[in-house]
Amino acid sequence: QLGGKKTSHRSLTGVALHALITLASARLIRYISFVLTVLPSQVPNCYRHHFPPPPDNWKDWILVGMLPSSRGGCNDLILSGHATVTSTIACAATSVSSNTSFSFAVWTLIALDYSIEAYQGLHYSVDMFLGGIVTCLLWHLTAPLEIEGELEQLQKEKQRKEGGGGNAARAPPLDATVVAMYAAPAILAFLILAVFPEAYVNYFAIGYSLVAGVMFK
């Protein structure tokens, strides 16, 4: 039961999958939007004023490209990545709640967060607005892809009727080993960002993605 007064057959796995598909779609649109703002560039000689000349050696070119660069460039930051993440979380949270006051509070907080981003000069207002609107539209567009919890319940009932209910596997208890297994990557990532030089951050991100892909393929 995921609502306050109503029964829902949605599963946590389905909601999480729905959120990941929405976020991935929004980030893809963001990437395309980034590229389109400089094809062609509306500011002549922008690259020369922001960056050094490209290296002649392709190895040096790759190494320079691996260095973190978060101090702005020639492209516009439309859509806001911050808006896509927070809007996805808000859509997931409010979609499983039947409490109108809770939903109103969540979206009010989101609007306040967007206003602060624009006030601090981190984004244009249109970046935040479109980030929220596009993400919400994607959430509703990808709704049919969500795994229905009712199907899982029917399968479990079928197993019980066939006599396999007593031997069904149960989730492991939340002990120190499980907590450490999930907390270790987050702690390691924090140490990489806080302790190691900035030049190693991208290498860590690529290495972490490769290891995760091999472990969970």
Side-chain angles (χ1 to χ4, degrees):
Q1 186 173 352
L2 298 177
K5 297 180 180 180
K6 62 182 181 181
T7 301
S8 174
H9 296 293
R10 299 169 67 191
S11 65
L12 180 60
T13 304
V15 174
L17 176 63
H18 187 182
L20 288 176
I21 294 175
T22 300
L23 183 58
S25 303
R27 303 295 283 197
L28 176 61
I29 293 176
R30 180 175 184 255
Y31 165 74
I32 297 173
S33 301
F34 271 34
V35 175
L36 291 179
T37 58
V38 291
L39 291 177
S41 176
Q42 303 301 317
V43 182
N45 300 321
C46 177
Y47 184 89
R48 296 180 181 178
H49 291 93
H50 284 79
F51 307 100
D56 296 329
N57 191 321
W58 69 271
K59 293 183 179 179
D60 295 335
W61 183 79
I62 294 177
L63 293 176
V64 171
M66 289 297 299
L67 295 176
S69 180
S70 58
R71 298 175 180 85
C74 299
N75 59 299
D76 185 61
L77 300 178
I78 189 170
L79 311 165
S80 166
H82 180 86
T84 59
V85 174
T86 53
S87 295
T88 300
I89 296 174
C91 287
T94 55
S95 69
V96 298
S97 173
S98 60
N99 191 324
T100 305
S101 299
F102 172 77
S103 300
F104 180 79
V106 168
W107 287 112
T108 300
L109 180 62
I110 292 294
L112 177 62
D113 176 55
Y114 292 176
S115 301
I116 293 174
E117 288 277 325
Y119 176 77
Q120 292 180 337
L122 301 176
H123 273 286
Y124 287 118
S125 300
V126 67
D127 298 338
M128 309 305 297
F129 173 75
L130 288 179
I133 292 297
V134 170
T135 304
C136 291
L137 291 176
L138 287 171
W139 174 266
H140 292 286
L141 182 65
T142 57
L145 301 178
E146 183 174 320
I147 300 174
E148 296 183 1
E150 185 176 4
L151 179 60
E152 296 178 357
Q153 291 181 357
L154 292 176
Q155 291 177 346
K156 290 181 179 179
E157 292 178 0
K158 183 178 179 180
Q159 290 179 355
R160 292 193 189 98
K161 292 180 180 180
E162 293 177 353
N167 298 325
R170 297 183 179 180
L174 188 63
D175 55 12
T177 303
V178 176
V179 172
M181 181 178 64
Y182 284 98
I187 295 175
L188 178 60
F190 173 77
L191 292 176
I192 291 292
L193 293 174
V195 178
F196 286 81
E198 191 180 61
Y200 292 97
V201 174
N202 279 358
Y203 293 105
F204 167 76
I206 294 175
Y208 182 86
S209 301
L210 292 175
V211 172
V214 171
M215 291 178 61
F216 298 103
K217 67 177 179 179

